[in-house]
Amino acid sequence: KWGEKLDGKKYYNLKPFSPLFFRKGKSYQSSSPSTKPILSSPSGSSVPRGALETIGRLMKLGRVRNIVVVAGAGISTGSGIPDFRTPGTGLYANLAKYDIPYPEAIFNIDYFSDNPHPFFSLAKELYPGHHRPNYVHYFIRMLHQKGLLLRMYTQNIDGLEKLCGIPDDKLVEAHGSFATAACHLCYTPYPAEEAKQAIMKGNVPICTFCAGAVKPNVVFFGEDLPEKYFQHAEDFPKADLLMIMGTSLKIEPFASLVNTVKSTVPRLLLNRDPVGPFERRPLRRADYMELGDLSDSVRKLAEILGWHTEIQDLMNSHENGLRSYTDPSNSSDFF
Ligand code: OAD
């Protein structure tokens, strides 16, 4: 059942929607920097700083060495991939053609068991290969190159983190990926490329062992998260900065991860709207948020850190290499 802990394993649980309290395009911090000795200026004066300036300063001072990034679909909208819940443009607002009882049914394992066709139609559009990583992905890769990334936990199944060069051991794809496939009933592995070919032709790949429908190993509602996800129990207590980017924090158990860093650890939310614990007042003392477009906020932070040109160079050289891998004629054709 939703949200229950069973045999030590956690299951999905959709949280109810909460109202928003904050205006967009603004930088917030939980209290004046003057109340936080670590953040006061060298002269001792209490100059109020925005969230990005404060976090950038901590990073430049070398006070941050183990950053955990928590990300969702909002980091990929800059690559032309819609998120899930933005009214009007989100995936869940554009599923009418699939004739499903409610939007999340398309990723529900019981619904899939009855009728795999809606998911397979959508999967044709979701399969990685059509889109390129954007500046936000490369910023996260730069965190890694600077030796600051402890781990990135992503809910995304678009594969853009891997594509931009974030190595496997730094990445937890908490909601799985298209890289492997298996039977949804008996979990017998199935060659991922063969599954893709069948789905692209409009066929249902069938398990050779039990004749169940095979699906890519993206995690559906009602399924367990991958083993690797549970590494969070070690990672989050070690974090000295949490960056939360482009997620509504509506899906458990992922959403609650952000509450498992120590209470003194700064949490920076980069998103259009406040989400999860950032919707509540008062914020935690070490909570910071920059509301607005993620690419703009990340670029501002990169400029504060003096990384902007380096990220652009990295992006240009890596993108040139990727150009042969992807097919530009297929890009941005979701709806
Ligand atoms: P959502 O669509 O729920 O949330 C995306 C968040 O990113 C929203 O708060 C948007 O406002 C924000 N956002 C989008 N574009 C942005 C931009 N350019 N700049 C700033 N903010 C932006 O997506 P997720 O939180 O990733 O699970 O959704 C979580 C899970 O729900 C998904 O992994 C998926 C879905 O059901 C499964 O399918 C199992």
Side-chain angles (χ1 to χ4, degrees), residues 26-309:
K26 287 273 181 187
S27 179
Y28 297 88
Q29 47 193 112
S30 53
S31 56
S32 157
S34 61
T35 63
K36 299 175 193 171
I38 193 173
L39 301 175
S40 61
S41 71
S43 64
S45 64
S46 56
V47 183
R49 283 180 230 279
L52 298 179
E53 284 80 6
T54 304
I55 296 299
R57 186 160 181 272
L58 279 178
M59 291 172 72
K60 286 208 276 192
L61 286 171
R63 307 249 177 126
V64 166
R65 295 179 187 283
N66 288 305
I67 302 176
V68 170
V69 173
V70 160
I75 72 165
S76 293
T77 53
S79 298
I81 303 174
D83 67 7
F84 292 90
R85 294 180 179 80
T86 292
T89 59
L91 182 70
Y92 289 153
N94 289 281
L95 296 175
K97 64 180 170 183
Y98 297 110
D99 194 21
I100 47 179
Y102 58 96
E104 282 95 346
I106 203 145
F107 293 117
N108 181 295
I109 197 63
D110 297 322
Y111 186 81
F112 176 89
S113 220
D114 269 1
N115 179 11
H117 296 288
F119 170 71
F120 284 140
S121 305
L122 178 65
K124 285 189 195 177
E125 297 164 30
L126 292 181
Y127 258 105
H130 298 185
H131 296 88
R132 300 221 167 103
N134 64 62
Y135 191 90
V136 179
H137 297 98
Y138 283 99
F139 174 83
I140 301 164
R141 174 167 164 187
M142 190 54 73
L143 290 176
H144 162 61
Q145 284 189 202
K146 301 279 183 190
L148 298 175
L149 183 67
L150 176 62
R151 211 85 59 198
M152 175 182 193
Y153 284 75
T154 183
Q155 298 162 95
N156 297 346
I157 53 174
D158 53 38
L160 296 185
E161 297 89 356
K162 271 189 187 155
L163 204 55
C164 87
I166 297 169
D168 260 1
D169 64 335
K170 290 287 167 184
L171 184 64
V172 174
E173 293 175 314
H175 291 174
S177 79
F178 284 88
T180 56
C183 172
H184 85 287
L185 288 178
C186 72
Y187 309 114
T188 301
Y190 191 92
E193 193 48 39
E194 278 180 38
K196 180 177 177 180
Q197 295 309 326
I199 292 167
M200 289 300 173
K201 283 185 203 146
N203 299 327
V204 175
I206 295 296
C207 175
T208 45
F209 187 70
C210 79
V214 165
K215 74 168 188 51
N217 285 329
V218 296
V219 178
F220 276 32
F221 294 103
E223 286 194 304
D224 291 349
L225 276 71
E227 198 65 37
K228 214 173 165 185
Y229 167 81
F230 296 94
Q231 195 166 340
H232 72 78
E234 278 178 35
D235 286 346
F236 280 66
K238 281 191 208 150
D240 50 21
L241 171 62
L242 184 66
M243 285 190 183
I244 305 160
M245 299 181 177
T247 173
S248 61
L249 292 181
K250 291 234 181 283
I251 300 301
E252 296 291 0
F254 192 93
S256 291
L257 284 181
V258 301
N259 297 319
T260 64
V261 291
K262 291 185 200 124
S263 61
T264 51
V265 166
R267 300 189 295 189
L268 173 66
L269 173 71
L270 303 175
N271 208 50
R272 265 200 208 110
D273 313 296
V275 291
F278 291 81
E279 288 180 276
R280 279 174 234 130
R281 291 287 194 108
L283 294 180
R284 227 147 88 162
R285 263 170 57 88
D287 279 350
Y288 299 88
M289 59 180 161
E290 182 77 14
L291 303 182
D293 184 73
L294 191 52
S295 309
D296 293 344
S297 303
V298 166
R299 184 182 163 150
K300 270 189 224 158
L301 181 56
E303 277 166 356
I304 290 167
L305 293 166
W307 294 1
H308 175 58
T309 310

